[in-house]
Amino acid sequence: MPHSRGWRDEGRPRGGDPASVGEVLQKLMNERVLAKGIVVGRLAGEWAEVVGERLAQETAPARLEAGTLTVSASSGAWGAQVQFLSEELRKGANRALGEDIVKRVRVVVQPEGESRPKSL
């Protein structure tokens, strides 16, 4: 069977039988591959309510892993603001998600047009 660059599960052979999109998504959700991104997507949808309109224009939730919410900021100044408000932001994010999963907030600065973020 050919190997594609995107196939990362070396322990399982790729099947030749077609599967519905629903079946594929259900398997991904069960393996928590896609579920992590869905939480960040939910948070992004309510980001302005969590941080306020002005801060939402300059920041965005980027990733949530092992209880750490990574927030991308457009500049060092906005990143410092997020860092200063991190405890309020953590509580607001948990309220928006309806569960206590955000334990800490990490800030990265990623000015528009730059591909690599800088950690604060």
Side-chain angles (χ1 to χ4, degrees):
M1 182 60 73
H3 179 78
S4 70
R5 293 177 71 192
W7 183 251
R8 303 249 189 267
D9 195 350
E10 302 291 331
R12 281 190 331 210
R14 291 178 72 173
D17 297 329
S20 72
V21 173
E23 290 172 323
V24 172
L25 289 176
Q26 187 60 48
K27 285 181 183 178
L28 289 173
M29 292 296 289
N30 290 342
E31 293 178 15
R32 307 284 299 160
V33 171
L34 190 59
K36 289 190 251 181
I38 289 175
V39 173
V40 174
R42 280 182 27 218
L43 189 54
E46 299 184 38
W47 193 241
E49 289 81 26
V50 172
V51 299
E53 288 292 331
R54 184 63 182 114
L55 194 55
Q57 293 174 6
E58 304 295 337
T59 64
R63 179 173 42 256
L64 178 59
E65 292 179 0
T68 300
L69 173 64
T70 301
V71 176
S72 175
S74 63
S75 70
W78 286 110
Q81 183 72 12
V82 169
Q83 198 68 46
F84 179 73
L85 297 170
S86 64
E87 183 58 21
E88 290 82 8
L89 193 147
R90 184 190 69 77
K91 290 176 184 176
N94 284 331
R95 268 192 307 276
L97 294 171
E99 52 188 315
D100 189 31
I101 58 176
V102 177
K103 305 297 182 196
R104 60 205 145 273
V105 175
R106 176 178 170 257
V107 182
V108 294
V109 176
Q110 188 164 1
E112 197 158 321
E114 287 193 22
S115 60
R116 296 199 48 177
K118 299 172 184 136
S119 291
L120 278 185

PDB file of all heavy atoms in Angstrom, residues 73-82 109 120:
ATOM      1  N   ALA A  73      -0.639  36.953  20.258  1.00  0.00           N
ATOM      2  CA  ALA A  73      -0.823  38.404  20.315  1.00  0.00           C
ATOM      3  C   ALA A  73      -0.119  39.051  19.129  1.00  0.00           C
ATOM      4  O   ALA A  73       0.899  38.550  18.654  1.00  0.00           O
ATOM      5  CB  ALA A  73      -0.268  38.956  21.623  1.00  0.00           C
ATOM      6  N   SER A  74      -0.653  40.180  18.680  1.00  0.00           N
ATOM      7  CA  SER A  74      -0.109  40.844  17.491  1.00  0.00           C
ATOM      8  C   SER A  74       1.164  41.636  17.760  1.00  0.00           C
ATOM      9  O   SER A  74       1.881  41.983  16.826  1.00  0.00           O
ATOM     10  CB  SER A  74      -1.165  41.763  16.887  1.00  0.00           C
ATOM     11  OG  SER A  74      -1.498  42.785  17.814  1.00  0.00           O
ATOM     12  N   SER A  75       1.471  41.933  19.030  1.00  0.00           N
ATOM     13  CA  SER A  75       2.691  42.676  19.366  1.00  0.00           C
ATOM     14  C   SER A  75       3.081  42.369  20.803  1.00  0.00           C
ATOM     15  O   SER A  75       2.293  41.820  21.581  1.00  0.00           O
ATOM     16  CB  SER A  75       2.469  44.177  19.205  1.00  0.00           C
ATOM     17  OG  SER A  75       1.599  44.657  20.226  1.00  0.00           O
ATOM     18  N   GLY A  76       4.283  42.774  21.159  1.00  0.00           N
ATOM     19  CA  GLY A  76       4.745  42.583  22.528  1.00  0.00           C
ATOM     20  C   GLY A  76       3.886  43.325  23.538  1.00  0.00           C
ATOM     21  O   GLY A  76       3.634  42.827  24.637  1.00  0.00           O
ATOM     22  N   ALA A  77       3.430  44.512  23.168  1.00  0.00           N
ATOM     23  CA  ALA A  77       2.591  45.299  24.086  1.00  0.00           C
ATOM     24  C   ALA A  77       1.266  44.590  24.357  1.00  0.00           C
ATOM     25  O   ALA A  77       0.822  44.513  25.503  1.00  0.00           O
ATOM     26  CB  ALA A  77       2.346  46.683  23.503  1.00  0.00           C
ATOM     27  N   TRP A  78       0.644  44.062  23.310  1.00  0.00           N
ATOM     28  CA  TRP A  78      -0.614  43.331  23.503  1.00  0.00           C
ATOM     29  C   TRP A  78      -0.360  42.021  24.240  1.00  0.00           C
ATOM     30  O   TRP A  78      -1.173  41.585  25.055  1.00  0.00           O
ATOM     31  CB  TRP A  78      -1.329  43.098  22.182  1.00  0.00           C
ATOM     32  CG  TRP A  78      -1.951  44.345  21.665  1.00  0.00           C
ATOM     33  CD1 TRP A  78      -1.552  45.065  20.575  1.00  0.00           C
ATOM     34  CD2 TRP A  78      -3.062  45.054  22.232  1.00  0.00           C
ATOM     35  NE1 TRP A  78      -2.345  46.171  20.431  1.00  0.00           N
ATOM     36  CE2 TRP A  78      -3.291  46.196  21.430  1.00  0.00           C
ATOM     37  CE3 TRP A  78      -3.878  44.854  23.331  1.00  0.00           C
ATOM     38  CZ2 TRP A  78      -4.295  47.108  21.693  1.00  0.00           C
ATOM     39  CZ3 TRP A  78      -4.893  45.764  23.604  1.00  0.00           C
ATOM     40  CH2 TRP A  78      -5.091  46.882  22.787  1.00  0.00           C
ATOM     41  N   GLY A  79       0.767  41.399  23.990  1.00  0.00           N
ATOM     42  CA  GLY A  79       1.127  40.189  24.708  1.00  0.00           C
ATOM     43  C   GLY A  79       1.308  40.457  26.195  1.00  0.00           C
ATOM     44  O   GLY A  79       0.873  39.673  27.041  1.00  0.00           O
ATOM     45  N   ALA A  80       1.928  41.593  26.528  1.00  0.00           N
ATOM     46  CA  ALA A  80       2.100  41.972  27.932  1.00  0.00           C
ATOM     47  C   ALA A  80       0.741  42.207  28.589  1.00  0.00           C
ATOM     48  O   ALA A  80       0.536  41.853  29.754  1.00  0.00           O
ATOM     49  CB  ALA A  80       2.966  43.220  28.037  1.00  0.00           C
ATOM     50  N   GLN A  81      -0.184  42.791  27.843  1.00  0.00           N
ATOM     51  CA  GLN A  81      -1.533  43.014  28.366  1.00  0.00           C
ATOM     52  C   GLN A  81      -2.214  41.680  28.679  1.00  0.00           C
ATOM     53  O   GLN A  81      -2.846  41.528  29.726  1.00  0.00           O
ATOM     54  CB  GLN A  81      -2.364  43.817  27.358  1.00  0.00           C
ATOM     55  CG  GLN A  81      -3.739  44.173  27.823  1.00  0.00           C
ATOM     56  CD  GLN A  81      -3.736  45.252  28.895  1.00  0.00           C
ATOM     57  OE1 GLN A  81      -2.738  45.894  29.156  1.00  0.00           O
ATOM     58  NE2 GLN A  81      -4.873  45.426  29.522  1.00  0.00           N
ATOM     59  N   VAL A  82      -2.089  40.722  27.780  1.00  0.00           N
ATOM     60  CA  VAL A  82      -2.667  39.390  28.012  1.00  0.00           C
ATOM     61  C   VAL A  82      -2.014  38.753  29.234  1.00  0.00           C
ATOM     62  O   VAL A  82      -2.696  38.175  30.087  1.00  0.00           O
ATOM     63  CB  VAL A  82      -2.503  38.480  26.775  1.00  0.00           C
ATOM     64  CG1 VAL A  82      -2.861  37.041  27.104  1.00  0.00           C
ATOM     65  CG2 VAL A  82      -3.348  38.990  25.622  1.00  0.00           C
ATOM     66  N   VAL A 109       3.919  36.021  20.738  1.00  0.00           N
ATOM     67  CA  VAL A 109       3.734  37.195  19.889  1.00  0.00           C
ATOM     68  C   VAL A 109       3.969  36.767  18.456  1.00  0.00           C
ATOM     69  O   VAL A 109       5.004  36.198  18.132  1.00  0.00           O
ATOM     70  CB  VAL A 109       4.704  38.325  20.285  1.00  0.00           C
ATOM     71  CG1 VAL A 109       4.568  39.506  19.342  1.00  0.00           C
ATOM     72  CG2 VAL A 109       4.451  38.747  21.725  1.00  0.00           C
ATOM     73  N   LEU A 120       6.615  34.983  25.023  1.00  0.00           N
ATOM     74  CA  LEU A 120       6.860  36.021  26.031  1.00  0.00           C
ATOM     75  C   LEU A 120       7.304  35.378  27.303  1.00  0.00           C
ATOM     76  O   LEU A 120       6.939  34.318  27.655  1.00  0.00           O
ATOM     77  CB  LEU A 120       5.584  36.816  26.310  1.00  0.00           C
ATOM     78  CG  LEU A 120       5.245  37.916  25.352  1.00  0.00           C
ATOM     79  CD1 LEU A 120       4.038  38.666  25.847  1.00  0.00           C
ATOM     80  CD2 LEU A 120       6.376  38.867  25.127  1.00  0.00           C
TER      81      LEU A 120
END
